[in-house]
Amino acid sequence: MRGGFGALPDALASRRAEGLYRNRGVLESAQGPRVRLDGVELLSFCSNDYLGLANDPRVVAAFREGAARWGAGSGASHLVSGHMGVHHALEEALAAFTGRERALLFSSGYAANLGVVGALLDKGDVVFEDRLNHASLIDAAQLSGARLQRFLHNDVSSLDTHAARIGGRRRMVAVDGVFSMDGDEAPLAALADACDRHDTLLLVDDAHGFGVLGASGAGSLEAQGVGARVELLMGTLGKALGTAGAFVAGDATFIETLVQHARTYIYTTALPPAVAAAALESLRIVQEEGWRRERLGSLVLRLRAGAEALGLSLLPSRSPIQPLVLGDAGRALAWAQALRKRGILVPAIRPPTVPRGSARLRITLSAAHENADVDRLLEALAEVARA
Ligand SMILES: Cc1ncc(COP(=O)(O)O)c(C=O)c1O
């Protein structure tokens, strides 16, 4: 192999030997509790479609109508000529829903995190991040050129220690609102207090809380009553809203700074307009159908009670992410395979996505699941645990 890449085959082989190899299955159906994967019907507990909106007929119809009205592609970046009326309407709806002056659309949550951190921080600045933050926030810090200091998970005193010690021209704390592989929530009020003490901006990535947590579904900030104490909120549209893309919401000065400087906003084609049309419809449903969140909450309680009765301890979480830590990557994979043999799809999450020794099954629930689906999962878990 040219260019010094001769070691790649061995590297792939050792990844496989360590149980860390990742395989893609081919989904042959729409997302939902029942999917067809590689030719097999399975009961799925592994999507982030927490409210069951990815294949909701009204959202699909809005997508179709959006394409008919605006075309298939946006044709340009937002600042050139791709910022269409439907993108603008979605930004205004997201700003109103989150109670912010403005919201700005990005083509993914990953791009939003790179964009916001990169636009606001530079060499000479510092960003403090929870050590279990999503990879996109970590990458964002590294790309920005700012100093990245990680603190212990959900440990405000660890943040205090670092923030007291490290100076920087501009200072930011960035955390996941709901941690994607653990399902627990950042202590936002205590973090906001720490930001007051250390004169630091707070950015919350609420990819897994937006649409799901809070009485109206506005997410972790609403659920924890911190509102404007968090200057910048990133939310994604590809999880609970069932579509794609993301937004950053905040005051007009911050958002205008992103318009001027966020490279992942400026140098990329705007989201397909049909996606924005579908997300607008999802946002309406999120606000009008609170029963979806209630249903999800009751499924979470049912699963947790059932797992406890089986002696299986799920990580503490009230979110739809309910992980069962099994330790070794091979063990997590074996459990996932055993469940799959029983017709149930739950992903094994292994390093480097999670720290070594904490490989796990990441069970996710959706408002589209039935009680009987959760019961079936519990029966299968009981069988696998016995085996
Ligand atoms: C916490 C968190 N932030 C950001 C992202 C990235 O969002 P997107 O999938 O829209 O790129 C994800 C997951 O994908 C996530 O779990």
Side-chain angles (χ1 to χ4, degrees):
M1 240 182 246
R2 220 156 73 175
F5 294 99
L8 285 185
D10 282 350
L12 287 173
S14 61
R15 195 174 172 87
R16 194 186 285 278
E18 285 179 73
L20 299 180
Y21 206 80
R22 298 167 188 244
N23 287 300
R24 300 178 306 172
V26 177
L27 202 65
E28 292 149 2
S29 64
Q31 204 56 263
R34 272 157 205 78
V35 296
R36 193 173 173 81
L37 185 73
D38 294 330
V40 183
E41 300 281 343
L42 295 165
L43 176 59
S44 166
F45 292 94
C46 65
S47 96
N48 302 318
D49 179 25
Y50 303 126
L51 298 179
L53 295 178
N55 194 28
D56 183 285
R58 295 163 296 174
V59 178
V60 175
F63 189 98
R64 199 178 288 123
E65 285 153 25
R69 162 82 171 81
W70 300 96
S74 57
S77 64
H78 283 277
L79 295 188
V80 174
S81 65
H83 185 66
M84 297 174 161
V86 68
H87 296 122
H88 203 74
L90 178 57
E91 287 184 346
E92 288 183 339
L94 287 165
F97 182 48
T98 57
R100 304 285 164 152
E101 285 178 5
R102 278 184 74 184
L104 192 71
L105 278 181
F106 285 78
S107 49
S108 71
Y110 197 110
N113 279 339
L114 295 195
V116 63
V117 176
L120 297 176
L121 299 182
D122 207 340
K123 261 205 179 79
D125 301 333
V126 59
V127 54
F128 303 95
E129 296 206 14
D130 189 289
R131 65 181 285 270
L132 295 190
N133 271 359
H134 189 255
S136 56
L137 274 178
I138 304 291
D139 294 356
Q142 277 163 349
L143 258 178
S144 74
R147 173 168 180 182
L148 167 62
Q149 177 62 55
R150 297 167 89 168
F151 58 89
L152 298 176
H153 178 52
N154 276 350
D155 184 337
V156 178
S157 67
S158 166
L159 167 62
D160 270 325
T161 306
H162 292 300
R165 185 172 60 81
I166 300 172
R169 187 182 31 173
R170 285 172 301 209
R171 305 150 60 77
M172 176 191 285
V173 169
V175 291
D176 288 11
V178 174
F179 288 85
S180 55
M181 297 300 137
D182 293 64
D184 58 344
E185 296 159 58
L188 295 178
L191 288 167
D193 290 344
C195 287
D196 289 341
R197 285 195 290 282
H198 302 289
D199 185 25
T200 306
L201 183 93
L202 184 53
L203 162 68
V204 174
D205 168 347
D206 207 22
H208 298 276
F210 185 66
V212 170
L213 297 181
S216 77
S220 301
L221 278 55
E222 182 184 29
Q224 298 192 38
V226 290
R229 297 197 68 204
V230 175
E231 288 94 336
L232 288 167
L233 163 68
M234 195 287 281
T236 59
L237 307 173
K239 303 186 194 296
L241 272 77
T243 59
F247 67 93
V248 176
D251 81 15
T253 304
F254 277 123
I255 300 304
E256 194 51 34
T257 301
L258 299 188
V259 173
Q260 302 301 321
H261 296 288
R263 294 171 68 82
T264 56
Y265 179 75
I266 298 168
Y267 299 110
T268 196
T269 303
L271 272 179
V275 173
L280 261 173
E281 178 62 4
S282 289
L283 191 59
R284 185 192 66 75
I285 296 172
V286 162
Q287 292 171 84
E288 285 184 7
E289 298 186 357
W291 64 264
R292 288 176 186 271
R293 279 181 291 285
E294 283 160 26
R295 166 114 205 89
L296 194 53
S298 85
L299 291 168
V300 165
L301 294 179
R302 188 177 189 92
L303 174 66
R304 293 191 67 84
E308 199 183 329
L310 294 174
L312 297 172
S313 60
L314 299 169
L315 288 182
S317 157
R318 62 172 176 167
S319 78
I321 304 168
Q322 296 289 324
L324 178 63
V325 173
L326 294 166
D328 176 53
R331 184 155 184 251
L333 211 54
W335 277 59
Q337 282 161 353
L339 287 172
R340 191 146 169 187
K341 278 202 195 111
R342 289 165 173 80
I344 293 181
L345 188 61
V346 178
I349 306 290
R350 293 159 286 162
T353 306
V354 292
R356 264 187 196 278
S358 73
R360 64 197 66 185
L361 293 179
R362 179 179 183 265
I363 301 165
T364 52
L365 294 171
S366 157
H369 281 122
E370 305 282 342
N371 286 346
D373 296 336
V374 171
D375 296 347
R376 225 185 110 193
L377 169 63
L378 286 164
E379 277 160 32
L381 283 169
E383 282 176 30
V384 175
R386 272 199 300 275

